[in-house]
């Protein structure tokens, strides 16, 4: 998923809500869904930039896992978080919880916690798992603990998009956020329904984040 179309919205006045999507994408599923979420965010007039967290696996290990090259997203740092009004974490599921790479990044934000720099900012998540029982809810719950300790405001997807409740086809997403099902071998890519829900998620999140930022 080498998507280089990562420019922020052209509206750059000081009142524009700035939202960062922070992903870890190993096989491209989360990167693809992030682009749909970004589209929804920017439809509200908000700025949005997709970042990725630092990789912790060696090139040798990644090669043995047949991982494709990383997408062309800038690396997020704890210091950069101060520049944004809200954050959506794109989580690639590992045994029902977030990947170690994302947890390692979250653990690097201690200085922001000590100084209260993220208090009152908006937070949320979206996810990819191998199957419907692979973490489409538990990853959301796990993210809430991080947001809560920082005093951030969790904005769930809820069921603002009726497609989340569809039983016409296999799909990701839950009340906690949009999502995709990758399949046990990772061969399934985000469907049209999943990308539509991701776009709805981005729009919903940005609308509430803007109200928090203007408060």
């Amino acid at each position: 998923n080498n998507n280089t179309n990562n420019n922020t919205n052209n509206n750059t006045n000081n009142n524009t809500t700035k939202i960062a999507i922070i992903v870890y994408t190993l096989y491209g599923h989360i990167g693809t869904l992030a682009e749909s979420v970004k589209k929804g965010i920017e439809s509200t007039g908000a700025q949005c930039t997709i970042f990725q967290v630092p990789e912790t696996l060696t090139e040798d290990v990644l090669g043995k896992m047949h991982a494709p090259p990383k997408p062309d997203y800038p690396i997020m740092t704890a210091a950069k978080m101060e520049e944004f009004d809200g954050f959506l974490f794109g989580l690639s599921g590992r045994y029902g919880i977030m990947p170690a790479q994302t947890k390692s990044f979250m653990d690097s934000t201690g200085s922001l916690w000590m100084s209260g720099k993220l208090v009152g900012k908006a937070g949320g998540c979206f996810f990819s798992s191998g199957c419907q029982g692979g973490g489409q809810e538990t990853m959301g719950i796990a993210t809430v603990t991080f947001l809560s300790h920082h005093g951030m405001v969790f904005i769930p997807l809820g069921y603002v998009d009726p497609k989340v409740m569809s039983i016409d086809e296999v799909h990701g997403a839950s009340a906690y956020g949009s999502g995709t099902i990758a399949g046990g071998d990772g061969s399934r890519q985000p469907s049209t329904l999943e990308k539509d829900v991701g776009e709805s998620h981005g729009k919903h999140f940005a609308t509430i984040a803007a109200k928090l930022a203007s408060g």
Side-chain angles (χ1 to χ4, degrees):
N1 183 41
N2 289 315
N3 194 314
T4 58
N5 183 21
N6 193 43
N7 295 325
T8 54
N9 190 286
N10 290 330
N11 184 358
T12 57
N13 68 67
N14 292 333
N15 295 322
T16 302
T17 306
K18 295 179 65 178
I19 295 172
I21 297 176
I22 305 173
V23 306
Y24 177 74
T25 183
L26 186 60
Y27 294 109
H29 302 83
I30 282 295
T32 298
L33 189 56
E35 295 292 342
S36 294
V37 174
K38 180 175 185 278
K39 182 178 179 181
I41 290 171
E42 292 184 333
S43 73
T44 70
Q47 291 184 45
C48 180
T49 306
I50 303 176
F51 294 90
Q52 58 187 326
V53 299
E55 180 59 83
T56 60
L57 299 176
T58 65
E59 289 297 326
D60 181 56
V61 171
L62 290 171
K64 291 177 179 178
M65 296 173 70
H66 306 290
K70 291 293 182 183
D72 189 25
Y73 298 141
I75 301 296
M76 178 53 98
T77 65
K80 287 180 184 176
M81 293 185 78
E82 293 187 48
E83 304 172 13
F84 292 87
D85 302 302
F87 311 91
L88 274 167
F89 288 91
L91 308 173
S92 179
R94 298 293 183 272
Y95 304 108
I97 57 176
M98 68 182 67
Q101 290 83 352
T102 302
K103 183 61 167 61
S104 178
F105 170 77
M106 289 179 172
D107 288 347
S108 75
T109 62
S111 62
L112 300 176
W113 174 76
M114 288 288 290
S115 56
K117 295 294 186 180
L118 302 183
V119 172
K121 293 180 183 284
C125 56
F126 56 97
F127 15 77
S128 171
S129 63
C131 62
Q132 287 178 306
Q136 297 282 321
E137 293 182 310
T138 52
M139 279 188 275
I141 295 171
T143 304
V144 170
T145 61
F146 169 77
L147 302 177
S148 297
H149 280 266
H150 274 287
M152 298 171 70
V153 180
F154 177 55
I155 301 175
L157 172 62
Y159 294 96
V160 297
D161 189 329
K163 293 186 181 72
V164 177
M165 301 181 71
S166 171
I167 58 172
D168 294 333
E169 62 180 85
V170 172
H171 66 86
S174 69
Y176 296 94
S178 53
T180 185
I181 303 297
D185 61 359
S187 62
R188 183 182 184 275
Q189 293 298 317
S191 66
T192 298
L193 183 150
E194 290 169 334
K195 289 187 282 189
D196 286 348
V197 172
E199 188 173 341
S200 296
H201 186 190
K203 182 176 181 179
H204 174 66
F205 182 87
T207 299
I208 298 177
K211 294 177 181 178
L212 290 171
S214 66

